[in-house]
Amino acid sequence: MLPERIPIPESLHSIETGDPIATCLACDAPLLDGPTEYLVEKGYRQYEAYDVQETVFEYAICMDCHAEMRQSFSEPSKRRCQAYLSEHVDLAARTGRLLDADSRDPADWTRQCVVHGTPRDELEEYQVIAHCQGDELLLTHLPLLMGGHAIDALVQRLSSETLDDLGGFRDEHLGLPPELKRDLQGPIVA
Ligand SMILES: [Zn+2]
């Protein structure tokens, strides 16, 4: 079955340009024309006291670069992450439920943490991951939202070797200030 597609919603546009993210973070390949599939990842932090939401990072990565990065995951890391996710999330059931709904609001995919069910408004930190091709968003088990606690739990299941590799990727491509590095390990979910 082919995935359903909708125009990339504004929530996934770049906050810098207001438009969809145009190039791969790692290889600079153009993304918006042509058949290249890619992931969009955004990280957020919310300050409840101030009612402020901040985008901590945002990028797109093409599937080739993503696959390359995944290869650097050690086998035990991959196994432990998959075990954690399959233990806590029934992605197939979730996807079926979302696609059975009458409306096609992509926001329905990201209203709560996919692991714990925590509503987005109650999360201090979270990441959103989406699968796109050209100027369209694919509705599959993605997009999904994962809260900070679930991300931490996944990160704890990575080997130090894998964490080093992800840290290298992050430092090379994202240029985050040191105080934010703790929160971001790179794309580990999709
Ligand atoms: Zn790339």
Side-chain angles (χ1 to χ4, degrees), residues 46 48 111 117-126 149:
Q46 296 189 111
E48 201 186 345
R111 288 196 201 288
T118 317
R120 183 177 48 195
D121 292 350
E122 295 172 19
L123 292 164
E124 270 175 46
E125 297 170 2
Y126 61 91
H149 291 298

Side-chain angles (χ1 to χ4, degrees), residues 40 90 135 144 172:
V40 172
D90 187 342
D135 56 5
L144 63 75
E172 184 181 343

Side-chain angles (χ1 to χ4, degrees), residues 44 52-53 97 105 122 128 153 155 190:
Y44 301 90
V52 167
Q53 177 190 275
R97 216 165 40 237
D105 182 353
E122 295 172 19
V128 170
V155 167

